[in-house]
């Protein structure tokens, strides 16, 4: 029988995703057929599977760590927020619908059979499943109908490891407090705890570990020191990205952080280039003087276009363009560069049209036929091969599209202004291609490195696995998972 174990946290961003990725790489190196699984994720930073489905980017990284191609069954429910109170629901890789939070809370239990189906399908080709929870089981107000934490653990009869984050403070209270609020049946599922993100000498927390053990009765699996290289792995949350400091003698890329920013993995390779400073521009801040403005993807283009204007960023971007600056728009950012964005069917809210920045002579019409597919083509100017993926609603066309940025099988993709200083494309992941990234950066005056991005991600996963092997009782995790099958 396939062994399985679930990792839950005392809160969001305690490091569950990174820990599961590191453990997946560690166990895979030992010859164990391991697969990641997250019943429900909430993120606008999605990955596209080979068959054109969508899953959370964290699960795609975990699959990579395990040496697997990502599949839709690794993250059967993906919530993509479209507003503060509603999300698009992706079920087993495909768009299921859009629900407000209250409606989803009432109906989420209906998705459990599909989640369990995906889990069973994964088990058919794995020796070990590493399951990641979402948020915290301590949110007992969400326990009824839960499919993300203890509700799924109960349905699949899984043991649980509870993770606390010492870096944010209060880790003793968060671990002990989680136990205190859980019903007895859920408490009994927790087999051990893990303290994550310890800065400094871990031995200084020995008394803290003893206090948690005494208060909970749970054994400790270890105290994991801060892994300083975590930023070299693809981030799932924009809050995990560093950006804001302009280093001397570097090319500066300014990125306005939109409320519904999506698929910002385009930034990951750029942040690792030593000759580039990526500045994340937050609400209330002006877009600084820079070499390039990169407008990222958006889950709700019209709403984010309105936000961009409300921040005065449109004025900053147009002034940057008048000074001869360069502008790139990717996916939703590409749509914003055009003259108008139209939503006649109300896919993102009430039917409406909104003027774009007018930096490209193109227009976008949002349509219900969603494109989710890998992309393989070439740069229309240099001829360099390039690969990536598309996730978008909408079709964009106009005179500037006659000058495509990319080509695929003789068909143009994207648009370029007459002077070549404004470019837009629906393709994500372009800058992960080393040759393409270097050529592009050199063309706009950056000093480039010999960074091999994909190789660096794998090396970082290996170093993460080494880090966990040193500080975590990984044999005990296997024993807890194996006991659950007996």
């Amino acid at each position: 029988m396939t062994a399985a174990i679930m990792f839950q946290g005392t809160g969001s961003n305690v490091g569950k995703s990174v820990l599961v990725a590191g453990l997946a790489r560690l166990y895979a190196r030992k010859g164990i057929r391991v697969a990641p699984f997250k019943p429900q994720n909430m993120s606008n930073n999605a990955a596209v599977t080979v068959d054109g489905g969508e899953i959370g980017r964290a699960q795609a990284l975990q699959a990579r760590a395990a040496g697997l191609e990502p599949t839709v069954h690794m993250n059967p429910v993906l919530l993509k927020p479209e507003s503060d109170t509603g999300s698009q629901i992706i079920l087993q890789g495909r768009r299921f619908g859009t629900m407000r939070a209250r409606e989803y809370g009432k109906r989420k239990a209906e998705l459990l059979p599909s989640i369990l189906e995906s889990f069973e399908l994964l088990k058919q080709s794995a020796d070990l499943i590493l399951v990641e929870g979402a948020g915290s089981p301590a949110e007992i107000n969400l326990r009824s109908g839960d499919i993300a934490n203890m509700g799924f653990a109960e349905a699949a009869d899984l043991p649980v490891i509870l993770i606390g984050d010492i870096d944010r403070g209060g880790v003793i209270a968060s671990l002990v407090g989680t136990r205190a609020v859980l019903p007895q049946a859920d408490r009994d599922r927790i087999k051990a705890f893990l303290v994550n993100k310890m800065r400094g000498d871990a031995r200084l927390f020995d008394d803290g570990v003893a206090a948690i053990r005494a208060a909970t009765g749970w054994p400790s699996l270890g105290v994991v020191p801060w892994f300083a290289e975590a930023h070299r792995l693809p981030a799932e949350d924009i809050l995990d990205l560093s950006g804001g400091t302009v280093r001397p003698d570097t090319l500066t890329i300014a990125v306005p952080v939109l409320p519904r920013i999506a698929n910002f993995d385009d930034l990951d390779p750029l942040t690792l280039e030593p000759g580039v400073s990526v500045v994340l521009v937050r609400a209330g801040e002006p877009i600084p003087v820079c070499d390039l403005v990169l407008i990222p993807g958006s889950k709700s283009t019209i709403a984010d276009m309105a936000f961009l204007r409300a921040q005065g960023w449109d004025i900053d971007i147009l002034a940057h363009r008048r000074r001869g600056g360069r502008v790139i728009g990717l996916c939703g950012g590409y749509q914003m560069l055009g003259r108008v964005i139209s939503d006649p069917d109300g896919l993102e809210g009430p039917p409406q049209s909104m003027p774009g920045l007018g930096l490209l002579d193109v227009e976008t019409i949002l349509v219900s036929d969603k494109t989710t597919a890998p992309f393989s083509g070439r740069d229309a100017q240099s001829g360099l091969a390039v690969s990536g993926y598309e996730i978008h609603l909408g079709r964009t066309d106009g005179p500037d599209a006659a000058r495509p940025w990319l080509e695929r099988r003789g068909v143009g993709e994207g648009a370029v202004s007459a002077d070549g200083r404004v470019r837009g494309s629906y393709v994500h992941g372009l800058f992960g291609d080393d040759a393409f990234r270097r050529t592009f950066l050199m063309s706009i005056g950056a000093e480039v490195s010999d960074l091999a991005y994909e190789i660096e991600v794998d090396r970082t996963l290996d170093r993460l696995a080494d880090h966990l092997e040193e500080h975590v009782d990984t044999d005990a995790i296997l024993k807890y998972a194996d006991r659950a099958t007996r």
Side-chain angles (χ1 to χ4, degrees):
M1 295 177 65
T2 301
I5 192 163
M6 189 168 193
F7 296 85
Q8 298 182 17
T10 57
S12 297
N13 209 34
V14 301
K16 299 185 298 293
S17 296
V18 172
L19 286 173
V20 169
L23 291 170
R25 175 55 58 94
L26 186 155
Y27 292 132
R29 292 191 317 197
K30 294 178 182 292
I32 298 172
R33 297 183 306 161
V34 57
F37 184 78
K38 184 157 185 168
Q40 172 192 290
N41 199 352
M42 176 179 282
S43 177
N44 276 330
N45 206 24
V48 173
T49 61
V50 173
D51 60 355
E54 293 182 68
I55 63 171
R57 181 146 296 278
Q59 281 62 65
L61 177 66
Q62 292 162 357
R64 176 179 185 155
L68 301 174
E69 284 288 339
T71 77
V72 297
H73 299 298
M74 294 172 179
N75 176 209
V77 176
L78 175 62
L79 308 181
K80 306 185 76 173
E82 295 179 330
S83 68
D84 291 340
T85 58
S87 297
Q88 182 183 106
I89 316 298
I90 305 297
L91 180 62
Q92 292 182 332
R94 307 297 174 188
R95 187 175 187 272
F96 178 74
T98 297
M99 296 185 196
R100 297 181 70 82
R102 185 178 295 275
E103 180 188 5
Y104 181 73
K106 294 177 180 178
R107 296 186 58 189
K108 61 185 178 182
E110 299 173 17
L111 306 180
L112 184 59
S114 295
I115 293 172
L116 291 170
E117 177 188 46
S118 289
F119 185 63
E120 291 299 320
L121 287 170
L122 272 188
K123 287 168 66 175
Q124 293 177 9
S125 57
D127 302 316
L128 173 66
I129 308 257
L130 301 178
V131 183
E132 179 187 344
S136 170
E139 296 164 340
I140 54 175
N141 56 305
L142 303 177
R143 179 61 175 89
S144 177
D146 173 57
I147 58 175
N149 289 302
M150 286 299 181
F152 177 76
E154 179 183 23
D157 195 18
L158 298 180
V160 173
I161 304 300
L162 188 63
I163 301 166
D165 176 3
I166 195 170
D167 186 57
R168 67 175 61 185
V171 70
I172 296 175
S174 64
L175 286 163
V176 175
T178 297
R179 182 186 184 279
V181 300
L182 291 178
Q184 188 63 48
D186 288 350
R187 277 187 209 169
D188 291 344
R189 291 201 171 276
I190 300 177
K191 304 306 177 186
F193 70 93
L194 188 63
V195 174
N196 196 24
K197 303 184 187 178
M198 175 74 186
R199 296 181 190 260
D201 187 347
R203 292 173 298 181
L204 297 176
F205 194 63
D206 285 350
D207 289 345
V209 170
I212 297 167
R213 291 175 62 182
T216 64
W218 302 328
S220 168
L221 292 177
V223 177
V224 182
W226 183 267
F227 184 63
E229 295 182 82
H231 73 282
R232 305 185 78 83
L233 296 172
E236 185 173 55
D237 194 313
I238 190 66
L239 297 175
D240 296 330
L241 280 180
S242 58
T245 302
V246 178
R247 300 189 302 275
D249 303 318
T250 58
L251 180 132
T252 303
I253 301 176
V255 182
V257 179
L258 306 167
R260 300 160 191 86
I261 188 171
N263 294 89
F264 48 84
D265 56 301
D266 298 299
L267 307 179
D268 292 321
L270 298 173
T271 62
L272 297 185
E273 282 286 354
V276 173
S277 292
V278 176
V279 179
L280 301 180
V281 185
R282 310 282 181 176
E285 301 173 349
I287 292 179
V289 174
C290 59
D291 300 289
L292 171 68
V293 174
L294 191 158
I295 306 176
S298 167
K299 186 65 191 71
S300 298
T301 306
I302 289 179
D304 275 349
M305 184 71 231
F307 178 86
L308 185 149
R309 280 205 170 88
Q311 296 298 312
W313 289 341
D314 58 331
I315 297 171
D316 296 340
I317 294 170
L318 294 174
H320 167 80
R321 173 72 173 113
R322 287 194 298 271
R323 292 192 298 267
R326 298 176 183 273
V327 184
I328 284 178
L330 297 174
C331 201
Y334 171 32
Q335 295 173 342
M336 294 180 198
L337 290 179
R339 288 186 284 107
V340 66
I341 309 158
S342 298
D343 183 10
D345 297 325
L347 299 175
E348 293 189 351
Q352 61 180 310
S353 293
M354 177 171 287
L357 293 168
L359 295 179
L360 287 175
D361 191 5
V362 294
E363 294 185 359
T364 295
I365 298 178
L366 301 182
V367 294
S368 59
D369 185 16
K370 187 173 186 178
T371 299
T372 56
F375 178 92
S376 180
R378 68 183 187 92
D379 183 306
Q381 182 176 355
S382 68
L384 282 171
V386 66
S387 60
Y389 64 96
E390 297 178 74
I391 301 181
H392 64 89
L393 293 173
R395 301 192 183 109
T396 301
D397 202 4
D400 281 350
R403 286 183 296 273
W405 187 359
L406 309 173
E407 290 183 355
R408 175 172 52 186
R409 295 190 292 274
V411 178
E413 197 288 324
V416 180
S417 63
D419 65 359
R421 301 184 81 84
V422 180
R423 294 170 178 264
S425 171
Y426 276 119
V427 180
H428 292 288
L430 296 173
F431 299 118
D433 187 292
D434 298 324
F436 178 87
R437 184 182 65 256
R438 292 186 191 119
T439 300
F440 174 78
L441 290 175
M442 285 191 296
S443 74
I444 61 175
E447 291 189 16
V448 297
S449 70
D450 59 357
L451 170 69
Y453 177 67
E454 299 296 342
I455 292 174
E456 180 58 25
V457 170
D458 275 313
R459 287 174 176 168
T460 304
L461 287 168
D462 281 328
R463 292 190 289 268
L464 173 61
D466 294 340
H467 184 71
L468 296 181
E469 190 161 34
E470 181 179 356
H471 298 288
V472 176
D473 189 345
T474 56
D475 289 337
I477 293 174
L478 289 180
K479 289 177 183 177
Y480 289 128
D482 184 56
R483 284 177 196 158
T485 67
R486 297 176 184 175

